[in-house]
Amino acid sequence: MTDYSAAGRRVRLPGEPSAESRTLHVGRWRVNIAARSIVNGTVERRLSPRAMRLLSFLADAKGEVVDRHTLLDRVWPDVTVSDESLTQAVTELRRAFGDRRDQAGVIETIAKGGYRLTVPVLSEVAEDELPFRHDVDDFDLRAYQLCLDARAVLVRSGPGAVERSEAMAREAAMSAPDFALAQAEFAIALVMRHLYRANGTPGLQEALARAEGAIRLRPDLAVTHSAMGFALGAVERWREAKLAFGRAIARDRRDTDAHYLGARTLFAARDYRGAAALAERAAALSGGECRALYLAARASAVFDGGRARRDAEACLQGLQQHLAVDPKKPRALNMLAPLLGQLGLPDSAMAALDAEAERDAPLEFYNAVALAMIGDADAALEALENVVECGWRHPAWLAAEPCLASLAGHRRFRRLTASLGVA
């Protein structure tokens, strides 16, 4: 927790790392304050001392607006400088982050207000610094039931499913603060809400905090590390996410979620071989779960056509069985068209699209994939625009889905990717 003295100067609390030694993640950028560097993948940039002090202070504000007078006082303590100095420091940061005038950037100017960061700010914590609690092992049956219901709603999907799933997971976490499984489930639900139904409700900061709390409660459970890996993947901290999923699988090699969520994360990171392997394992553990087989088929299509076809055919068989029992199951209906497109059946894929009685924004991404496969670029772009307009925020997946590469030359697609911050 940050504290301030009456004079307005920041006071470091006992046990808190010094500002100079902290490592932060500002959106996709890893910020090393001591080295005055910001890194995004293979891109590394150095900042001046004043720009790093400004970034550090804005990060401490966690998205709140900081007025210019306060920034001048805090970035240049005991030195009288003009507003121009602050403007130059902001310009340096924007240039370093690659902010552009025609799209939302990392730093927002608030008219007559000041500045704020528009992306999540996360503090990097080493695993050996977490105060694990081994003394809590209460199993809250009601919270567990809520977690099961939340997951079932999300798997079935349909209109409002993401929101309802998050609400149930939140209730479980709030009613049982010492129940690690509920905290982990809530972290996963928060990530899902952020990626697929953001609508102005950023939750990645809380997701990381909930996952970290779950690990403190039960570091021995696979699900707590899976939640951490899924949250880290959502902010594209790929190396740390992979390590977290490795810890999850090491704790339970038969945990379906560790394999499935790990596969999703690896696919977004464009590690297609790893994603296919984990997705196929998740399908085997779950008795042929269709979401896992679909993901395996999409991932393996990048490097092994025969393997992709086997996964797609197995998934199609499972979908047909599900639809025989529940002809209106939303997720099954949405997966059907891209699978048929992948299997080289464009007419059947289009018929499957036409047969859908209702469209749900997150699931319409499946439609965009199917339409891109069969060559209807305009309809694919319309589907993508619809999901983004309704709160879909998964830029890494947009870049990772190979069949969407055919849309890259379209102005509408470039505008869409720019709005999500895809380079």
Side-chain angles (χ1 to χ4, degrees):
M1 179 184 294
T2 303
D3 192 18
Y4 296 91
S5 69
R9 295 190 181 280
R10 189 175 188 276
V11 177
R12 185 158 54 92
L13 301 179
E16 182 184 6
S18 67
E20 293 74 15
S21 66
R22 289 185 303 158
T23 299
L24 304 173
H25 290 262
V26 177
R28 301 179 191 178
W29 294 84
R30 187 174 188 268
V31 179
N32 187 319
I33 293 177
R36 300 204 316 272
S37 70
I38 62 173
V39 179
N40 181 5
T42 60
V43 177
E44 180 174 5
R45 294 177 180 139
R46 299 282 177 175
L47 299 178
S48 67
R50 68 177 182 179
M52 183 55 78
R53 288 196 300 270
L54 173 60
L55 177 58
S56 180
F57 189 69
L58 289 173
D60 281 342
K62 297 188 182 301
E64 296 295 322
V65 178
V66 185
D67 64 80
R68 294 178 67 91
H69 176 76
T70 300
L71 289 171
L72 286 168
D73 182 58
R74 299 300 300 281
V75 177
W76 291 272
D78 306 320
V79 177
T80 301
V81 296
S82 67
D83 279 0
E84 181 61 23
S85 297
L86 177 57
T87 300
Q88 291 174 359
V90 171
T91 299
E92 180 184 346
L93 283 181
R94 283 178 168 155
R95 187 179 299 114
F97 284 120
D99 284 4
R100 290 165 40 185
R101 292 185 179 181
D102 60 343
Q103 66 183 70
V106 173
I107 301 174
E108 180 182 10
T109 301
I110 307 299
K112 298 182 180 180
Y115 300 96
R116 73 179 187 95
L117 296 183
T118 63
V119 294
V121 177
L122 308 169
S123 297
E124 188 170 293
V125 180
E127 185 179 1
D128 58 5
E129 294 174 359
L130 297 176
F132 291 152
R133 290 177 58 184
H134 297 279
D135 59 331
V136 179
D137 60 357
D138 292 335
F139 192 92
D140 191 303
L141 185 59
R142 180 179 177 279
Y144 179 61
Q145 292 168 338
L146 282 168
C147 290
L148 293 176
D149 288 343
R151 186 62 66 90
V153 166
L154 194 63
V155 170
R156 176 176 170 76
S157 197
V162 175
E163 294 89 339
R164 287 184 285 117
S165 176
E166 186 212 351
M168 285 186 279
R170 182 183 294 275
E171 183 181 351
M174 297 305 180
S175 66
D178 289 335
F179 186 33
L181 191 150
Q183 301 306 314
E185 188 68 30
F186 186 32
I188 293 169
L190 285 167
V191 174
M192 290 290 190
R193 176 68 183 272
H194 176 85
L195 294 177
Y196 302 114
R197 282 290 207 196
N199 293 331
T201 56
L204 295 184
Q205 185 77 41
E206 186 176 5
L208 265 294
R210 293 284 175 176
E212 184 179 304
I215 292 174
R216 289 193 185 105
L217 290 166
R218 290 294 301 272
D220 58 310
L221 293 182
V223 66
T224 61
H225 295 279
S226 294
M228 178 62 81
F230 195 45
L232 288 168
V235 293
E236 300 184 24
R237 290 161 60 176
W238 304 124
R239 185 186 66 83
E240 295 164 90
K242 290 178 182 181
L243 289 173
F245 281 114
R247 289 191 288 270
I249 294 171
R251 281 157 176 78
D252 186 354
R253 296 187 183 184
R254 299 191 62 79
D255 187 282
T256 303
D257 281 345
H259 289 81
Y260 176 67
L261 293 177
R264 288 176 56 105
T265 300
L266 293 183
F267 186 93
R270 289 182 259 190
D271 180 355
Y272 300 109
R273 289 184 180 275
L278 290 187
E280 287 171 350
R281 178 61 175 161
L285 289 169
S286 62
E289 208 275 335
C290 290
R291 292 181 307 160
L293 284 170
Y294 174 85
L295 182 55
R298 296 301 307 126
S300 56
V302 176
F303 61 91
D304 188 335
R307 180 174 174 180
R309 186 172 189 86
R310 290 191 296 273
D311 287 332
E313 289 174 344
C315 185
L316 181 60
Q317 183 178 358
L319 289 180
Q320 291 169 338
Q321 293 172 352
H322 281 296
L323 292 171
V325 176
D326 183 357
K328 295 183 179 181
K329 189 172 184 178
R331 189 179 297 275
L333 288 171
N334 279 88
M335 280 192 286
L336 191 57
L339 277 174
L340 291 168
Q342 183 169 339
L343 290 169
L345 301 169
D347 292 340
S348 297
M350 185 58 73
L353 287 169
D354 292 339
E356 289 183 43
E358 59 184 3
R359 300 287 172 91
D360 178 60
L363 291 185
E364 200 162 350
F365 187 84
Y366 288 114
N367 298 349
V369 171
L371 290 162
M373 283 181 179
I374 62 180
D376 192 340
D378 288 339
L381 288 165
E382 183 179 351
L384 287 175
E385 289 166 347
N386 184 47
V387 295
V388 171
E389 182 179 350
C390 292
W392 190 92
R393 295 292 182 273
H394 204 338
W397 200 280
L398 189 69
E401 175 52 65
C403 75
L404 297 183
S406 63
L407 305 178
H410 291 257
R411 182 180 300 176
R412 290 166 65 187
F413 187 77
R414 292 196 298 270
R415 186 166 55 245
L416 191 71
T417 56
S419 73
L420 294 175
V422 178

